Amino acid sequence: MQNKNSVFNLFQLRHGITIRFVSVIFILAAIVNATDFKDLVSTNKKKNTFTLAASGQAAPLWVSSKDYPGLLRVQKHLQRDIAKVTRIEPAICIDTMPSADEVVIIGTIDKSPLIDELVQKGKLNIKDIKGKWDATLIQVVEKPFDGVKKALVVAGSNKRGAIYGMYEISSRIGVSPWYWWADVPVKEKPAIYILPGQYVSGEPKVKYRGIFLNDEAPALTGWTSEKFGGYNAGFYEHVFELIMRLRGNFLWPAMWNNAFADDDPQNMILADEYGIVMSTSHHEPMMRADKEWNRYGVGPWEYSTNAENIYNFWVEGAERYKNYECVFTLGMRGQEDRPMSEGENIELLEKIISDQREILKNVINDRDITDIPQVWCLYKEVQSYYEKGMRVPDDVILLWSDDNWGNIRRLPLPEERNRNGGAGVYYHFDYVGGPRNHKWLNTTQISRVWEQMHLAYKYNARKIWIVNVGDLKPMEFPISFFLDYAWDPEKITADMLPEYTRQWAEEQFGKEHAAEIAYILTEYTRFNSRRKPELLETDTYSLINYREAEKVVEDYNDLYVRAKNIYNSLSIEYRDAFYQLVLHPVEACSNLNEMYVTVGKNRLYAKQFRNETNNLADKAIKLFNRDAEITNYYNHVLADGKWNHMMDQTHIGYTYWQQPEVNIMPSVERISTPVSKSMGVAIEGSKKWWPGNWPGNHDIARLPEFDPYHRQSYYIEIYNLGNIPFDYEIVPEMSWVKINQPKGKISSELRTWVSIDWDKAPKGDHLVPVTINGPNNQMVVVEAPVKNPESPKPGKIIGFVESNGYISIEAAHYSKAIQPAPFTWQIIPNLGRTLSAVTILPVTSSAQFPVDKNPRLEYKVYFFNAGEVKVKTYLSPTQNFQANQGLRYAVSFDNEKPQIINMHENKTFQDWEESVRTNVSVQVSTHKNDKAGEYVLKFWMVDPAVVLQKIVIETTGTAPSYLGPPESYNREISGKK
């Protein structure tokens, strides 16, 4: 049988499939070799199924008192979960064998006599999990003990493995890990059965997987104070349970004004019961909280002058945690996460780490120092110490960091990837610092998390993945993804990200709306990541070019309507959860974006003397007040006030990196409107107005260019400078220029659309006057430039077509991908600001300089103009994580010599700030095309990890905007979104 299983497993490994076979000859033949628990549960009784709960009876839960205390605690959670789902509460049995035909046996290998006896009797094959880290086995066993016909065995390689097994059953029967933290309801089922076989979850690919509660005031601190009286065991029990339900195992606790072990001694005991590996943040050495030095420290926090007192302080931390599972943070920063003073040099820091290891050797003297988990976090300036030559012993984990904005600063070099201590990553969903705080709402695209942590995994940073989640809420969705991905990065490919989102939505809300909810989750995080809410300004998005600002508002409001429609269609018990996880961030951010755009329009209208100016001021104030109403609903009405204070974070009115004390309404302008009727005209693409009395008022009002490929419509806005309505009429010189509202009455303002009847428009270039007649013999002439070439015809043209001085291309819309083995161009769905991104795999490959057969993306384009062009490549703001010359790519047209561009060359701190503000890095190359016509733009791989979002080719230039011009016409993708 062993040989048969070996052959079976080899076949499964090679072919990537799961085979099932059943035999009654020997119990081990009834094994389903599975690496997950997807097919674990059924609501229908089938042959050889185990009855967990049905017909008023539930299988008792049997645990040995000799096992870990955490199993007895979580056993009660499983009992409660089964009761929630089926309204049948199973009995709990400790030691004494239940008097039932079917029982659930739960235990840890080499700790539970029940599990060990099953192994000795040949009833349970544990070879796939024994000796492994955090592994779980769930198996239906026939006749495990005399008097028991059938058992569902939940076995763990360690206590976490057993606890994961219980929570896995809870998840599979329908209890979301977010049942408490997001009020996700449990859907009742009349019966639950476990399908026969053995289900195995082997070792996670990342050893320590966890979250960091940080930047926790005012929201989380206010909430914990009200609900629990502080950061005590009552609070942390919910945190530990969530982490374990998500298959995490690691925590940096809240530390702004708190000290985990000192605030409540039960915290560390409870963490140990749950199997949570505790550590302390990057600037809190030796399991001592920063605030403990404020409470008990003697003298200054300066090792150069106060070593003895600090040394003894650290000894106490080691003593306190010597019998608990933890990772000791080494090194030292200034108090409250500040850089060390200038006197704290590399030589002194090496002495500090040497002393800290001396403490560990002396205090934990029953283990070799190399068996005591230790980490050195290379955060901010500490990384520079490493780059200057500082080293730590080989067994210490090197914890690299991102730039606080989701872009990893450094990953192991080839010579660093085989260190015994290994490496990890400290990542951020939340941050307090420059260029501005971001801590109010979720702004994280899971596609970006995938791309960056995929790099981390492939560059062998696999020992610790820890993410700063701020107040925990409202980061529920990215927390789920981060911990799921950390368990097995090889299991979730980029192509699977949309389905991951859909499945997550289904797990919380069921199948009916899952696809639509996934769309909303994806889009709102895209919109928020374009520009984090705290960074929004009244002029972030262009009010006049490409209809950018209004499109942002329209898209967000449309998303809000879609979310609200789902909310209204859900049964009452799902609404609180849906509001927290989906509707609230959409509602709050659609309102916020509209407020800023409305203030921007108010200021523009004031300059144009529109009589609508004051109405926009009133609307902006209403939107600002609505923000407060949304916050009030979340804090005081939602879930009967369960989450009061969770939305206390201020987010409007930043003037520098730090948050304002209260939300501050952006200033609006008001004007006095004369008792008269007077016409003003504004047009798309210009901030000017006509007739006007600004310097240079003889400028011609000219719309952007029309062409038959893009078939544009552009607006003319006619508005009232006074408060008496007037009549208007619009007369184009050519009948094939169409006006959708050629005449009417204006009280305030009206937008009318200009378009071209392409069936009647003559060939060639035309400049068509459009005359607008208003009151008091006022007249404004707007010119409509029309380009209608004889050829190529719209239905025949190949590639992206130039218009208005540019060609705009989404990266994923390439004409051809050249990808010789082993290279693959990978589209990362939904990554970036406008569509999806493209990168090259494998991400660990060496540089490939552009020659004919090497990897590249090709984009077919068509120019109407010859001469110099600028190619602007919009890249994700990836850091130079290999500390070399920087990340490079190349660009060329047709057969010209490719230009190699280094996205990090000559970059300044200010460049970095701009790249994280805008969440993109724009690089420019200049080329010359000798003639108009068809070309192939080639984007060449040079270095891996360059992530392309968009390309804009400028011939005569583009108008200023935040996102860049919308994608140009391309017959092959016309009509696609």
Side-chain angles (χ1 to χ4, degrees):
M1 193 61 208
Q2 290 294 328
N3 291 337
K4 184 176 184 180
N5 276 337
S6 298
V7 172
F8 171 88
N9 289 333
L10 182 60
F11 182 86
Q12 181 188 18
L13 181 65
R14 287 180 175 173
H15 296 275
I17 60 174
T18 298
I19 296 178
R20 297 194 174 140
F21 57 90
V22 178
S23 171
V24 296
I25 299 174
F26 188 65
I27 189 66
L28 291 182
I31 290 176
V32 176
N33 280 36
T35 56
D36 58 38
F37 303 93
K38 182 180 178 181
D39 300 318
L40 180 68
V41 171
S42 173
T43 55
N44 299 313
K45 187 174 181 61
K46 300 177 182 179
K47 186 177 180 181
N48 297 322
T49 54
F50 175 89
T51 304
L52 187 63
S55 304
Q57 297 291 321
L61 310 179
W62 186 13
V63 176
S64 170
S65 62
K66 295 181 180 180
D67 215 322
Y68 294 102
L71 271 67
L72 279 67
R73 180 181 293 273
V74 175
Q75 180 189 33
K76 295 176 183 177
H77 295 184
L78 180 59
Q79 177 194 44
R80 180 189 63 202
D81 292 347
I82 293 170
K84 282 182 179 179
V85 174
T86 65
R87 296 195 176 187
I88 309 166
E89 183 174 273
I92 284 181
C93 300
I94 300 174
D95 294 332
T96 304
M97 187 172 73
S99 57
D101 290 340
E102 294 181 284
V103 301
V104 179
I105 301 172
I106 305 161
T108 311
I109 295 171
D110 296 333
K111 187 72 172 176
S112 167
L114 301 174
I115 299 298
D116 292 347
E117 185 174 346
L118 290 174
V119 174
Q120 291 166 8
K121 292 166 65 174
K123 296 285 186 177
L124 193 66
N125 185 347
I126 60 170
K127 67 178 180 63
D128 289 333
I129 68 167
K130 184 174 174 59
K132 294 187 177 180
W133 180 262
D134 291 1
T136 303
L137 179 153
I138 298 177
Q139 180 177 333
V140 177
V141 175
E142 302 287 343
K143 298 179 180 179
F145 298 104
D146 292 341
V148 178
K149 291 183 179 179
K150 191 176 293 185
L152 175 64
V153 179
V154 180
S157 62
N158 55 15
K159 61 185 168 186
R160 279 185 295 276
I163 290 172
Y164 290 150
M166 286 186 275
Y167 283 143
E168 191 66 48
I169 292 171
S170 292
S171 175
R172 295 299 166 180
I173 67 176
V175 180
S176 168
W178 296 101
Y179 82 94
W180 193 87
W181 277 100
D183 302 304
V184 177
V186 173
K187 187 174 182 179
E188 293 185 4
K189 299 177 178 67
I192 301 173
Y193 303 94
I194 305 297
L195 296 173
Q198 185 185 77
Y199 300 81
V200 174
S201 177
E203 285 187 306
K205 296 294 195 302
V206 177
K207 186 170 187 177
Y208 300 110
R209 312 162 307 282
I211 62 175
F212 178 20
L213 301 178
N214 192 27
D215 312 327
E216 64 269 22
L220 187 62
T221 294
W223 178 77
T224 54
S225 178
E226 177 181 304
K227 304 302 181 183
F228 298 98
Y231 289 91
N232 53 31
F235 161 72
Y236 273 112
E237 178 158 19
H238 292 291
V239 176
F240 300 152
E241 179 187 343
L242 175 68
I243 292 172
M244 293 302 292
R245 283 182 182 268
L246 294 171
R247 292 197 300 179
N249 64 358
F250 191 66
L251 177 68
W252 285 357
M255 42 63 66
W256 264 24
N257 290 297
N258 314 290
F260 178 79
D262 192 57
D263 290 342
D264 185 350
Q266 288 299 310
N267 284 343
M268 53 196 289
I269 296 170
L270 190 64
D272 187 65
E273 283 192 20
Y274 272 97
I276 300 294
V277 181
M278 292 302 303
S279 189
T280 44
S281 69
H282 53 279
H283 72 105
E284 298 178 294
M286 298 297 287
M287 299 304 296
R288 298 304 302 264
D290 178 76
K291 293 302 175 284
E292 287 187 87
W293 182 257
N294 292 350
R295 298 173 188 177
Y296 309 116
V298 177
W301 182 255
E302 293 280 355
Y303 207 74
S304 58
T305 61
N306 196 28
E308 182 178 355
N309 286 322
I310 296 173
Y311 187 99
N312 292 334
F313 177 75
W314 288 337
V315 169
E316 293 172 9
E319 289 280 1
R320 185 167 60 192
Y321 264 94
K322 66 181 179 180
N323 295 320
Y324 293 97
E325 215 175 351
C326 67
V327 177
F328 285 92
T329 298
L330 303 183
M332 188 177 183
R333 291 193 86 217
Q335 271 202 285
E336 297 183 349
D337 200 16
R338 294 187 177 95
M340 291 193 297
S341 65
E342 291 183 9
E344 307 284 6
N345 53 32
I346 291 176
E347 184 178 352
L348 179 60
L349 190 53
E350 289 175 336
K351 164 68 173 168
I352 287 169
I353 291 177
S354 176
D355 286 355
Q356 289 168 342
R357 283 170 65 84
E358 178 183 80
I359 291 169
L360 294 177
K361 289 178 184 178
N362 293 337
V363 173
I364 311 175
N365 52 25
D366 60 339
R367 281 185 280 169
D368 187 86
I369 186 65
T370 60
D371 293 329
I372 302 171
Q374 303 151 69
V375 62
W376 184 36
C377 187
L378 301 162
Y379 183 66
K380 289 194 174 180
E381 82 285 346
V382 179
Q383 180 180 324
S384 69
Y385 301 158
Y386 185 90
E387 305 295 0
K388 291 175 183 177
M390 180 177 168
R391 294 294 182 266
V392 293
D394 187 63
D395 58 283
V396 176
I397 303 165
L398 296 181
L399 190 65
W400 302 101
S401 175
D402 68 354
D403 60 358
N404 305 305
W405 293 75
N407 310 295
I408 297 174
R409 296 174 67 200
R410 175 80 147 72
L411 288 170
L413 303 178
E415 64 270 19
E416 298 165 342
R417 292 173 200 165
N418 294 317
R419 293 180 68 258
N420 289 331
V425 171
Y426 168 34
Y427 202 71
H428 286 76
F429 295 160
D430 164 289
Y431 178 59
V432 169
R436 191 163 290 180
N437 295 351
H438 58 93
K439 53 185 293 195
W440 175 44
L441 291 177
N442 175 30
T443 61
T444 299
Q445 292 181 289
I446 66 165
S447 51
R448 183 62 169 162
V449 178
W450 182 92
E451 185 267 325
Q452 285 290 287
M453 300 314 291
H454 174 74
L455 283 178
Y457 181 70
K458 291 298 184 180
Y459 281 81
N460 207 30
R462 304 179 181 184
K463 190 61 69 74
I464 297 175
W465 285 10
I466 179 83
V467 59
N468 185 332
V469 300
D471 302 308
L472 196 151
K473 295 180 71 65
M475 306 295 180
E476 298 95 340
F477 177 48
I479 288 173
S480 285
F481 178 77
F482 187 87
L483 293 179
D484 280 342
Y485 191 60
W487 184 272
D488 189 355
E490 295 176 7
K491 189 177 179 181
I492 303 177
T493 65
D495 296 329
M496 295 170 63
L497 292 173
E499 177 59 14
Y500 176 91
T501 307
R502 193 205 64 78
Q503 286 184 3
W504 191 85
E506 181 180 330
E507 287 168 5
Q508 317 312 319
F509 304 108
K511 287 184 178 181
E512 182 179 359
H513 301 291
E516 178 76 349
I517 293 170
Y519 173 81
I520 294 168
L521 289 171
T522 299
E523 289 301 284
Y524 103 71
T525 50
R526 179 206 302 284
F527 296 163
N528 274 356
S529 70
R530 287 171 172 171
R531 185 84 169 187
K532 295 185 186 296
E534 294 89 341
L535 279 159
L536 286 171
E537 304 286 353
T538 58
D539 59 352
T540 295
Y541 299 108
S542 176
L543 294 166
I544 57 173
N545 296 319
Y546 313 120
R547 298 172 215 154
E548 184 177 63
E550 64 185 66
K551 186 70 165 58
V552 166
V553 171
E554 287 172 3
D555 287 348
Y556 230 136
N557 287 345
D558 173 69
L559 209 60
Y560 170 66
V561 169
R562 296 170 77 154
K564 189 69 173 179
N565 287 340
I566 296 175
Y567 176 84
N568 291 334
S569 70
L570 292 172
S571 56
I572 296 297
E573 66 269 22
Y574 278 95
R575 290 186 178 178
D576 283 350
F578 185 81
Y579 188 79
Q580 293 167 63
L581 298 175
V582 184
L583 179 56
H584 171 259
V586 175
E587 179 180 37
C589 290
S590 65
N591 181 77
L592 186 72
N593 277 268
E594 186 170 10
M595 184 203 72
Y596 276 113
V597 170
T598 301
V599 173
K601 287 178 66 176
N602 160 262
R603 296 175 183 176
L604 175 63
Y605 278 24
K607 292 177 181 177
Q608 296 176 344
F609 305 106
R610 300 196 193 198
N611 73 0
E612 186 66 13
T613 299
N614 296 347
N615 289 336
L616 284 180
D618 293 337
K619 180 182 178 181
I621 293 170
K622 185 177 180 180
L623 290 166
F624 177 79
N625 291 335
R626 185 173 175 234
D627 179 271
E629 292 167 4
I630 293 168
T631 296
N632 181 70
Y633 179 85
Y634 195 110
N635 280 347
H636 299 117
V637 180
L638 174 69
D640 296 323
K642 177 180 177 180
W643 302 111
N644 187 30
H645 296 295
M646 274 295 188
M647 283 299 130
D648 283 358
Q649 178 61 49
T650 56
H651 47 277
I652 305 174
Y654 278 78
T655 57
Y656 70 118
W657 70 266
Q658 184 58 285
Q659 66 200 36
E661 290 298 314
V662 295
N663 289 326
I664 302 170
M665 170 74 195
S667 63
V668 293
E669 297 187 25
R670 295 184 182 275
I671 63 173
S672 296
T673 304
V675 181
S676 65
K677 50 184 177 181
S678 181
M679 180 180 74
V681 173
I683 62 173
E684 182 166 348
S686 177
K687 62 182 178 182
K688 298 179 180 179
W689 67 98
W690 293 265
N693 58 357
W694 64 87
N697 64 343
H698 299 296
D699 287 357
I700 296 172
R702 181 173 294 170
L703 292 166
E705 188 177 77
F706 297 83
D707 68 70
Y709 311 99
H710 297 85
R711 296 185 172 245
Q712 304 94 333
S713 294
Y714 297 119
Y715 65 77
I716 295 173
E717 289 181 334
I718 307 170
Y719 60 88
N720 199 338
L721 285 78
N723 56 18
I724 300 175
F726 62 82
D727 294 324
Y728 77 92
E729 183 179 21
I730 305 176
V731 182
E733 186 174 279
M734 299 297 178
S735 61
W736 42 267
V737 175
K738 299 297 182 183
I739 311 296
N740 76 323
Q741 297 182 74
K743 61 176 62 178
K745 185 179 287 292
I746 302 293
S747 295
S748 178
E749 63 182 11
L750 177 138
R751 177 178 286 187
T752 186
W753 293 92
V754 182
S755 60
I756 306 299
D757 184 343
W758 293 106
D759 292 332
K760 297 179 179 178
K763 300 298 182 182
D765 294 347
H766 310 276
L767 199 59
V768 181
V770 177
T771 302
I772 305 162
N773 298 304
N776 307 317
N777 296 316
Q778 284 182 299
M779 181 182 73
V780 172
V781 177
V782 176
E783 294 181 342
V786 180
K787 187 179 189 67
N788 190 18
E790 193 74 41
S791 67
K793 297 184 182 300
K796 301 295 184 180
I797 200 166
I798 302 297
F800 292 91
V801 181
E802 178 192 0
S803 180
N804 283 290
Y806 69 86
I807 296 174
S808 181
I809 304 169
E810 293 292 347
H813 290 158
Y814 48 79
S815 307
K816 189 177 182 181
I818 310 301
Q819 44 191 1
F823 298 101
T824 302
W825 286 103
Q826 175 66 59
I827 294 176
I828 306 177
N830 308 305
L831 174 57
R833 308 191 307 172
T834 50
L835 186 67
S836 296
V838 185
T839 194
I840 196 76
L841 301 181
V843 293
T844 53
S845 62
S846 59
Q848 303 292 306
F849 291 95
V851 295
D852 186 52
K853 294 182 179 180
N854 277 2
R856 65 186 181 275
L857 297 172
E858 295 185 350
Y859 299 88
K860 294 180 179 179
V861 295
Y862 192 96
F863 293 112
F864 290 103
N865 296 294
E868 184 176 277
V869 301
K870 291 182 179 179
V871 176
K872 293 184 175 179
T873 54
Y874 289 59
L875 308 174
S876 292
T878 307
Q879 293 286 293
N880 183 18
F881 63 91
Q882 287 293 273
N884 53 22
Q885 76 288 322
L887 297 179
R888 299 160 297 178
Y889 65 95
V891 175
S892 63
F893 283 97
D894 289 351
N895 295 319
E896 75 167 328
K897 182 181 179 181
Q899 294 184 37
I900 296 178
I901 297 101
N902 187 330
M903 67 179 291
H904 296 116
E905 189 173 24
N906 299 322
K907 295 300 180 182
T908 65
F909 176 76
Q910 288 70 30
D911 291 324
W912 169 82
E913 281 197 324
E914 182 63 16
S915 73
V916 296
R917 283 192 194 100
T918 59
N919 201 19
V920 75
S921 176
V922 181
Q923 310 298 316
V924 182
S925 58
T926 302
H927 308 258
K928 187 173 183 180
N929 294 327
D930 294 332
K931 58 182 178 58
E934 295 179 0
Y935 286 85
V936 175
L937 172 66
K938 299 176 182 179
F939 178 88
W940 299 82
M941 173 211 173
V942 177
D943 294 307
V946 174
V947 181
L948 177 65
Q949 295 185 15
K950 181 174 179 172
I951 299 172
V952 175
I953 308 169
E954 293 185 351
T955 53
T956 59
T958 55
S961 66
Y962 183 80
L963 298 173
E967 188 167 37
S968 300
Y969 169 84
N970 180 345
R971 179 170 59 88
E972 295 177 352
I973 63 167
S974 181
K976 293 183 181 180
K977 294 184 179 179

